[in-house]
Amino acid sequence: MSNNYLNQPTTAFDSIPQASESNPAYSNFPISGGEVDNLFELARRFPNSYFQKLKEVRTRAREFADKYIRPVAGEIDRKVARDHSYFSWDLMKEACNYRFFSLIIPEAFDGQGAGVLHMAAMAEELAVGCAGIASTIGVHSAGISCGLLSLDPYVLEKYIRPVAKAEKKGEPILWGGAVTEPWAGTDIWDEDFLDQAKIVTFAKKVPGGYKITGRKCFISNGSVARYFALAAALDPKAVRESWTIFLVDARSPGFSIGRVEHKMGQRASPAAELILEDVLVPDHCKIGLAGKAGWYVSIYLAGSRGPVGAIGIGCARRSLECLMEWARLKKNRRGRLIDQQAIQLVIARMSGEIASARMLYVASALACDLIFYEMIGKPLHKAALRLLPKSLLAKKPFKEIVGSDRVKKAADGFLAKTVPEDRLAFISRLATAAKCIGSETGVRVSGEAARIMGPDAFDPRWPVEKAYRDAKLTMIYEGTNQANQITHFKDLARTWRS
Amino acid sequence: MEWDEAGERSGFAQTAAKFANWIRKNVPAQPDLQPAVADQFNKEIIKQADEAGILNAPLPERFGGVGLDAPARAMVLEKIAGARAGIAMILVSHWAGLGALTSLVNDPRVSSWLSESASRKSDLLYGVAVPVAAFDSEQGIPAQAQESGGKRKLSGDFICLIHPLLVKRLVIAMPEEKGSGRLLCLAGKDLAGFCQDEFPGAGLEEAPITRLAIREFEVPDDAILVEGGPGLERVNVIWYELYLGLSGAMIGNAVSAKDAAWDYANQRIQTGRLIIEHQEVRRMLEEMNIMAEAAWGMLVSAAGMADPKMALGRMRRAFIFSGSACEKICLDAIQVLGGYGYMEDYGLERRLRDLKSIQCLLGSYPLEWIGENI
């Protein structure tokens, strides 16, 4: 082992360009509260319908969790413990009636045009019922968001509209995201570390598309999703420069599912290994430009990390609900436990932690949603998308035009303009904080609730122990909390002005 | 933990380590099976523990043991839990029963039972049951023994650290109001009918921990070992033994998790270097060391105390601290491994499940802090 680790800083603070010089809106006192002003400004830019939809989605998700998830969550957990390949398709079919799978699909493509905040609120409510189910549906939405980043109407027409259509018929078509590999975890999620990552998934250009070979591991929805937004490098010698996202159909020849993992928690959401052996992916399934995956992943993570924090908060909420109910029923010689200070103050502390963690994911999701709103949510953009004839979208010449590198370059330029570096750093900083604090709150609150309830935490009536196991995963996926903190620091440095 | 004391304890540390290695090699890890029900219980474990001289080691020499003292008992349980926490729990229960009985050795009944221990081989003879925390449930009732029609009837909800069918005698601890307590010793098979579902813990698969809902069980006259003030003293012996055993088991479990994280950190390469070379990982590993050593120090210090009343208080504090410290160690160890820590491959997820089960077993933690559970 080399002893010079102390001389290898993760980031050199002074070497990071102070991107905020050009746009002070995202750098106003990043740690002293000036960003609160920014958030209020952001919130004002959304139409009323955005907030009405939030309320509606939350109510819908709560109803689904209460009515369908809670009664079966424990049973699913136990079933998967015995049979790792079990997946509750029945619950997914029921979820179609609540239209969770088309939540973030634009309205022009038969979806509901919701944003990250709606997704996060949904994830929190579903996680109160079962964090595994929340993950399954959340990961699906995150996968779809990667497809949306392509800004390619043909991809939306061919791969994303069918999800909304099938949902109406009660047939769930799931998506997933595939980045992590057996020998590359933390480093594969951060563009700065890509060159050092030991990746094994590579794509090779062939006539008509790309052939992908390699392995992905711990992929949520891995054994049940139909489509994956999958990252692969085109050039083994220049991983960072050739790191690209592809849309892969799980029914393609050469695609197979490896091991379905036995997990400690969130068992309702299967994590599996994906094995790709010369899987042919058509040209139009390359998302955006080659070599841009690191940047796309950064944008994707800025959107998906807040909802992960929300899942942690859902676990915490369920545990607190159980604890309060338990303390109301139980008594010792001094009377009911809920009437005693030792319990009351713990409950108050937990409730405060949950409320503060929630505000973080709301802030990060609001900031992120503004990107989508500016890209495709404005009335003019919506009208333009609606007016595009469906018949044209599916035509070959249209596919060739929108799939050309020239158009992709233009879309990429539009994206770069909408998400400048300092704005991304601002959102990402909030998102990483929301993820870390939300997940830690989940583990802390459910762990503490279990300790208070003692053996009763294992009683199926009060699934606190399950919430604890579930919450731990939120500290790990979408980059471990430590990886998130590295990103947070870099983003802070990017927007810092002394 | 490393045991650097010379002499008899050090010798016994080697015996315990040898038994732990036998467990690692021969007892398959079976994650997520239901806790071992009585008829699936692996009796070979007991046989091996007996052959190694561990099973009855706390007994005085005249009863076939070696009079293993409290620090050494903690050390043995720590080593065994390092291999499999569930197996340590079986010994915790047996030793808590032995501890309570040894304190009543002048009672001829107890003396004859303990002599029986010396003559019998490879049998798990004792277990303990304690009231479910110290509070009543909406359906349950507090532990009580009432006179009714000239007969004593026992009712109450108990947590039993072993399935009653697996033990010949079950020692039941009943703390009562106003500084008194009662210690009962009942035949395990007589209580089998009161077993509820086995403890639906998420961990400790080898340990058949059971909830007992005893209702109006007629207590034979000779089953009440001691009552009143002396009764409470003996009840406290059981709490002391449980706190000691569970703390040792938690520490052993956590130290194994820490060692696994250390090994992984020395193998896994991320961002072009071993993850042990990342400052944060080193900090986490060192914090794990500090937590484990602090918990161990508290436990050994409490175990070395002579005054039983003071020792019980110290032991309770050691138990509370061990719970917090070991939970932190297991959580951080999983974090070092990332996704691999959350999956079954490295066994760390099981360590956390076992730890949480042990930590929650005896009751409510804030009430523990203020001594309301006793």
PDB file of all heavy atoms in Angstrom, chain B residues 19 26 30 146 148 258 296 329:
ATOM      1  N   PHE B  19     -13.329 -22.860  18.858  1.00  0.00           N
ATOM      2  CA  PHE B  19     -14.747 -23.188  18.683  1.00  0.00           C
ATOM      3  C   PHE B  19     -15.368 -22.274  17.613  1.00  0.00           C
ATOM      4  O   PHE B  19     -16.154 -22.719  16.771  1.00  0.00           O
ATOM      5  CB  PHE B  19     -15.478 -23.036  20.022  1.00  0.00           C
ATOM      6  CG  PHE B  19     -16.950 -23.354  19.951  1.00  0.00           C
ATOM      7  CD1 PHE B  19     -17.405 -24.561  19.419  1.00  0.00           C
ATOM      8  CD2 PHE B  19     -17.897 -22.443  20.406  1.00  0.00           C
ATOM      9  CE1 PHE B  19     -18.771 -24.854  19.350  1.00  0.00           C
ATOM     10  CE2 PHE B  19     -19.259 -22.725  20.347  1.00  0.00           C
ATOM     11  CZ  PHE B  19     -19.692 -23.930  19.816  1.00  0.00           C
ATOM     12  N   ASN B  26     -18.221 -25.152   9.873  1.00  0.00           N
ATOM     13  CA  ASN B  26     -19.227 -26.211   9.848  1.00  0.00           C
ATOM     14  C   ASN B  26     -20.679 -25.778   9.937  1.00  0.00           C
ATOM     15  O   ASN B  26     -21.559 -26.577   9.641  1.00  0.00           O
ATOM     16  CB  ASN B  26     -18.950 -27.197  10.992  1.00  0.00           C
ATOM     17  CG  ASN B  26     -17.624 -27.881  10.809  1.00  0.00           C
ATOM     18  OD1 ASN B  26     -17.489 -28.731   9.947  1.00  0.00           O
ATOM     19  ND2 ASN B  26     -16.639 -27.465  11.583  1.00  0.00           N
ATOM     20  N   GLN B  30     -27.150 -19.295   6.863  1.00  0.00           N
ATOM     21  CA  GLN B  30     -28.430 -19.490   6.179  1.00  0.00           C
ATOM     22  C   GLN B  30     -29.245 -18.221   6.289  1.00  0.00           C
ATOM     23  O   GLN B  30     -30.166 -18.134   7.112  1.00  0.00           O
ATOM     24  CB  GLN B  30     -29.197 -20.649   6.800  1.00  0.00           C
ATOM     25  CG  GLN B  30     -28.512 -21.970   6.599  1.00  0.00           C
ATOM     26  CD  GLN B  30     -29.222 -23.065   7.350  1.00  0.00           C
ATOM     27  OE1 GLN B  30     -29.590 -22.907   8.492  1.00  0.00           O
ATOM     28  NE2 GLN B  30     -29.413 -24.183   6.689  1.00  0.00           N
ATOM     29  N   GLN B 146     -50.214 -15.209  40.950  1.00  0.00           N
ATOM     30  CA  GLN B 146     -51.285 -14.909  41.899  1.00  0.00           C
ATOM     31  C   GLN B 146     -51.740 -16.159  42.630  1.00  0.00           C
ATOM     32  O   GLN B 146     -51.731 -17.253  42.072  1.00  0.00           O
ATOM     33  CB  GLN B 146     -52.481 -14.305  41.156  1.00  0.00           C
ATOM     34  CG  GLN B 146     -52.222 -12.870  40.756  1.00  0.00           C
ATOM     35  CD  GLN B 146     -53.362 -12.322  39.929  1.00  0.00           C
ATOM     36  OE1 GLN B 146     -54.038 -13.068  39.213  1.00  0.00           O
ATOM     37  NE2 GLN B 146     -53.578 -11.029  40.037  1.00  0.00           N
ATOM     38  N   SER B 148     -54.627 -18.370  43.906  1.00  0.00           N
ATOM     39  CA  SER B 148     -56.013 -18.565  43.524  1.00  0.00           C
ATOM     40  C   SER B 148     -56.427 -19.973  43.942  1.00  0.00           C
ATOM     41  O   SER B 148     -55.879 -20.961  43.452  1.00  0.00           O
ATOM     42  CB  SER B 148     -56.166 -18.367  42.007  1.00  0.00           C
ATOM     43  OG  SER B 148     -57.413 -18.821  41.584  1.00  0.00           O
ATOM     44  N   LYS B 258     -16.313  -4.987  11.171  1.00  0.00           N
ATOM     45  CA  LYS B 258     -15.209  -4.040  10.984  1.00  0.00           C
ATOM     46  C   LYS B 258     -14.036  -4.725  10.252  1.00  0.00           C
ATOM     47  O   LYS B 258     -13.456  -4.150   9.328  1.00  0.00           O
ATOM     48  CB  LYS B 258     -14.753  -3.540  12.363  1.00  0.00           C
ATOM     49  CG  LYS B 258     -13.632  -2.544  12.346  1.00  0.00           C
ATOM     50  CD  LYS B 258     -12.855  -2.589  13.640  1.00  0.00           C
ATOM     51  CE  LYS B 258     -11.962  -3.800  13.694  1.00  0.00           C
ATOM     52  NZ  LYS B 258     -11.124  -3.925  14.870  1.00  0.00           N
ATOM     53  N   TRP B 296     -15.800  -2.269  24.354  1.00  0.00           N
ATOM     54  CA  TRP B 296     -15.146  -3.408  25.013  1.00  0.00           C
ATOM     55  C   TRP B 296     -14.598  -2.988  26.381  1.00  0.00           C
ATOM     56  O   TRP B 296     -14.730  -3.702  27.376  1.00  0.00           O
ATOM     57  CB  TRP B 296     -14.048  -3.951  24.109  1.00  0.00           C
ATOM     58  CG  TRP B 296     -13.323  -5.142  24.662  1.00  0.00           C
ATOM     59  CD1 TRP B 296     -12.021  -5.230  25.002  1.00  0.00           C
ATOM     60  CD2 TRP B 296     -13.899  -6.428  24.931  1.00  0.00           C
ATOM     61  NE1 TRP B 296     -11.729  -6.486  25.462  1.00  0.00           N
ATOM     62  CE2 TRP B 296     -12.874  -7.247  25.436  1.00  0.00           C
ATOM     63  CE3 TRP B 296     -15.176  -6.960  24.810  1.00  0.00           C
ATOM     64  CZ2 TRP B 296     -13.074  -8.563  25.819  1.00  0.00           C
ATOM     65  CZ3 TRP B 296     -15.381  -8.295  25.195  1.00  0.00           C
ATOM     66  CH2 TRP B 296     -14.337  -9.068  25.682  1.00  0.00           C
ATOM     67  N   ILE B 329     -20.866   0.868  13.998  1.00  0.00           N
ATOM     68  CA  ILE B 329     -19.808   0.102  13.328  1.00  0.00           C
ATOM     69  C   ILE B 329     -20.399  -0.685  12.148  1.00  0.00           C
ATOM     70  O   ILE B 329     -19.873  -0.652  11.040  1.00  0.00           O
ATOM     71  CB  ILE B 329     -19.112  -0.860  14.315  1.00  0.00           C
ATOM     72  CG1 ILE B 329     -18.327  -0.070  15.360  1.00  0.00           C
ATOM     73  CG2 ILE B 329     -18.185  -1.819  13.581  1.00  0.00           C
ATOM     74  CD1 ILE B 329     -17.827  -0.903  16.516  1.00  0.00           C
TER      75      ILE B 329
END
